Amino acid sequence: MAKYPTTLFISRVVNHGRELKRGYAISCHSCYLRPESRGTVRLNSADPSDAVLIDPNYLSHPKDVEYMVAGAERTRAIMQEAPIAKYITEDYRSKNLTQT
């Protein structure tokens, strides 16, 4: 029996695609779809060809931070479940993070 399930050989995308690492990889993403934070879109000037000023104001509401952290924790828990955990040898995205 193969050490890994039949998968495509891919490059691991690191740093939003700025760095690639050859090898097998898996990823899981959580996203809070109904945030409480509100940003703004404003005109930069009276000139219609000028770019608008966009301030997304991400994670400005405490509930958004709470839910994003909960999503990350749940994602990690899912990845640690027996059916998939045996294939994970490194958590290279968060191995240098510290918990507070």
Side-chain angles (χ1 to χ4, degrees), residues 51-79:
V52 295
L53 299 172
I54 301 172
D55 177 10
N57 208 23
Y58 294 130
L59 303 175
S60 61
H61 194 284
K63 187 179 193 181
D64 296 348
V65 175
E66 176 188 343
Y67 285 4
M68 287 297 291
V69 169
E73 289 171 347
R74 183 64 185 127
T75 299
R76 175 162 285 166
I78 290 168
M79 300 305 270

Side-chain angles (χ1 to χ4, degrees), residues 6 9 21 30-31 33 38 48 50 60-61 66 77 81-82 84 95:
T6 304
F9 188 72
K21 294 184 177 186
S30 67
C31 180
L33 296 176
R38 295 291 178 254
D50 275 356
S60 61
H61 194 284
E66 176 188 343
E81 291 291 329
I84 200 162
K95 66 182 174 185

